[in-house]
Amino acid sequence: MVRERSKALQVRAEKFLPGGVDSPVRAFRAVGGEPPFVERAEGAYLVDADGNRYVDLFGSWGPMLLGHAFPPAVAAIREAAGRSASFGASTADEANLAELVQRCFPSMEKMRFVSSGTEACMSAIRLARGFTGRPFVIKFEGCYHGHADALLVKAGSGVATFGIPGSAGVPNETVMHTLALPYNDLAAVEAAFESHPELIACVILEPVVGNAGTIAPDAGYLKGLREITRKHGALLIFDEVMTGFRLALGGAQELFGFASGEDAPDLTTLGKIVGGGLPVGVFGGRADVMNYLAPLGPVYQAGTLSGNPLAMAAGIATLSYLLTHKDAIYSKLEETTASIASGVAKLAAKQGIGLTTNRVGSMFTWFFTPDAVTDFASASASDTEAFGRFHRAMLERGVWLPPSQFEAAFVSTALGEAEVAIVLEAAKESLELMIK
Ligand SMILES: *Cc1c(COP(=O)(O)O)cnc(C)c1O
């Protein structure tokens, strides 16, 4: 595969942008090889600057659930752009999108739009601290909640990829109230509450982890977290930036039976799919908690471009489509993803390659390890060098996987039988190459 133009564009980008990128994992450092520069995308395919086509298995890291250049979203963005890109004043579409979000996530009685998942999580944490008057936050190793200082502790994903525990530039004082515990370990959470009585504001987690590769919660884990947080007067925050609208219309909370009532999380954060590819995040939940936000309450939070009209329009087009085609969409995603994930697992088994496939709905990870992956420690036991070789071989055969062992792969509704066949053929050749 020739990538001369991409190579030249990378050289040019490096003149102006550190590493040539605006988000570190795009530089492909974790898998080696050179990142193709994308020129356009349509449906299931990315097209690079040299005209090479790739089946997209990372979907812009999650947002593109309905495939690229989804016509209703494109039309909505065009129409909104003609009425001006931003006003800094209220528009009807903010409540319109909020109503659609609430139909999918009934636990979000009130919500606020922001411009990224990072902002949604950062703001939800501030709100939880303000509401409870407590300083400590529990998060889990390998869970990523954006790049806000206080949450950049054992944060999986891009950070794990580089093998550093946090980040330079984050003072110890900023993270001294962040407790990072192992995932799927309720006893560790109990112990933290025992040793910090009435000091823990909230527990935030990915209800299905995507940022250490895909890891599902053990049976009873989410329920256990709900019980412990309630007992100790702390808030439970589901970070569904990745899982929201992906695992089900109502995300992991719908999938696992936490959508409403006693068991629902107090706050939820969303991003990615909710913006239909435009920069949007949203956080919301219990009305009494949300009303602590300015202008009603003492917790400050704001944004010049929050509730941006183009982003609202893309979100409304996306969610409207999801709501009206729900059953067909989620059963198709399940079927396509199962074919790809288990198809490749079978090929690896045939070649005697130790591969553990974790999948929940349309997100999955092939861990290059024969052992079960249930938390960040077991994910880290994977052979990342083998993953890198697999990634490069797949890319060469026109299949673009997420460029790190610690990132989930995502399937869109644009993938059909033809794309499944391309992926399986590419995987067969790539795995054969690896054992030679
Ligand atoms: C992507 C992600 C974020 C951060 O969202 P950005 O829009 O990249 O700031 C937060 N939480 C989870 C679970 C994510 O996957």
Side-chain angles (χ1 to χ4, degrees):
M1 203 177 261
V2 178
R3 286 200 208 96
E4 288 312 314
R5 284 211 62 214
S6 281
K7 271 184 207 161
L9 289 169
Q10 175 71 22
V11 170
R12 175 173 158 73
E14 282 175 12
K15 270 198 220 168
F16 302 103
L17 313 169
V21 294
D22 286 312
S23 197
V25 276
R26 293 180 196 168
F28 274 36
R29 294 286 159 96
V31 289
E34 287 144 344
F37 272 57
V38 177
E39 194 155 280
R40 63 178 190 281
E42 196 184 342
Y45 293 90
L46 294 160
V47 182
D48 75 13
D50 294 276
N52 301 305
R53 280 161 61 85
Y54 308 86
V55 174
D56 182 0
L57 280 182
F58 72 109
S60 181
W61 307 85
M64 309 316 280
L65 183 74
L66 297 173
H68 290 281
F70 179 61
V74 173
I77 294 166
R78 285 211 169 106
E79 194 281 325
R83 290 184 284 121
S84 182
S86 185
F87 315 114
S90 296
T91 62
D93 273 352
E94 291 159 71
N96 291 340
L97 181 55
E99 187 177 3
L100 297 178
V101 170
Q102 191 180 69
R103 243 189 263 165
C104 306
F105 286 82
S107 72
M108 296 172 76
E109 296 170 353
K110 283 203 171 180
M111 68 194 77
R112 178 163 287 173
F113 290 104
V114 291
S115 301
S116 67
T118 294
E119 268 186 90
C121 296
M122 181 184 86
S123 306
I125 296 287
R126 183 181 304 144
L127 180 60
R129 284 170 159 163
F131 181 79
T132 59
R134 299 173 176 185
F136 280 89
V137 172
I138 291 179
K139 77 174 289 290
F140 298 99
E141 294 166 6
C143 284
Y144 179 67
H145 306 294
H147 60 91
D149 281 4
L151 292 169
L152 220 42
V153 181
K154 300 194 174 167
S157 196
V159 184
T161 297
F162 298 115
I164 46 177
S167 167
V170 177
N172 289 337
E173 291 76 8
T174 314
V175 293
M176 71 184 199
H177 291 120
T178 305
L179 305 171
L181 306 179
Y183 194 79
N184 272 334
D185 182 349
L186 285 175
V189 180
E190 271 290 9
F193 273 101
E194 299 290 320
S195 58
H196 299 77
E198 309 207 350
L199 287 172
I200 296 173
C202 63
V203 171
I204 185 169
L205 80 156
E206 294 180 65
V208 170
V209 184
N211 287 292
T214 307
I215 299 173
D218 289 343
Y221 181 62
L222 299 177
K223 179 97 179 158
L225 290 178
R226 181 63 283 188
E227 282 163 5
I228 296 169
T229 46
R230 189 183 294 120
K231 184 169 89 185
H232 292 277
L235 301 186
L236 180 63
I237 306 175
F238 274 15
D239 177 353
E240 300 231 37
V241 170
M242 192 178 270
T243 52
F245 313 100
R246 175 162 291 282
L247 302 184
L249 197 54
Q253 53 196 269
E254 178 187 322
L255 188 67
F256 294 111
F258 293 80
S260 59
E262 278 269 284
D263 281 345
D266 301 292
L267 294 174
T268 297
T269 58
L270 298 170
K272 299 191 169 126
I273 293 169
V274 73
L278 269 73
V280 185
V282 51
F283 65 105
R286 273 168 49 188
D288 62 329
V289 178
M290 289 303 290
N291 287 343
Y292 245 67
L293 279 180
L296 298 183
V299 175
Y300 192 70
Q301 192 286 331
T304 302
L305 295 176
S306 293
N308 174 265
L310 269 60
M312 296 297 104
I316 289 169
T318 303
L319 266 52
S320 304
Y321 189 86
L322 290 177
L323 277 156
T324 46
H325 298 79
K326 171 173 171 261
D327 295 339
I329 285 172
Y330 293 99
S331 58
K332 182 181 184 191
L333 285 170
E334 174 68 26
E335 198 181 311
T336 312
T337 316
S339 306
I340 290 175
S342 56
V344 172
K346 275 183 209 140
L347 292 169
K350 220 186 261 176
Q351 302 284 356
I353 293 173
L355 194 75
T356 291
T357 304
N358 281 6
R359 179 178 78 84
V360 181
S362 61
M363 59 191 272
F364 71 92
T365 301
W366 293 306
F367 290 101
F368 281 79
T369 170
D371 303 319
V373 175
T374 58
D375 57 14
F376 186 57
S378 45
S380 302
S382 304
D383 183 346
T384 53
E385 198 274 329
F387 179 84
R389 276 188 288 148
F390 183 64
H391 187 278
R392 293 194 294 276
M394 291 292 276
L395 194 71
E396 208 48 38
R397 287 160 182 77
V399 179
W400 192 329
L401 298 172
S404 163
Q405 176 70 93
F406 304 113
E407 303 284 359
F410 297 110
V411 168
S412 79
T413 54
L415 270 73
E417 278 173 28
E419 288 73 33
V420 172
I422 292 171
V423 174
L424 293 184
E425 184 56 31
K428 186 165 173 279
E429 290 179 20
S430 300
L431 292 169
E432 273 167 11
L433 209 68
M434 289 176 67
I435 54 168
K436 270 189 191 144

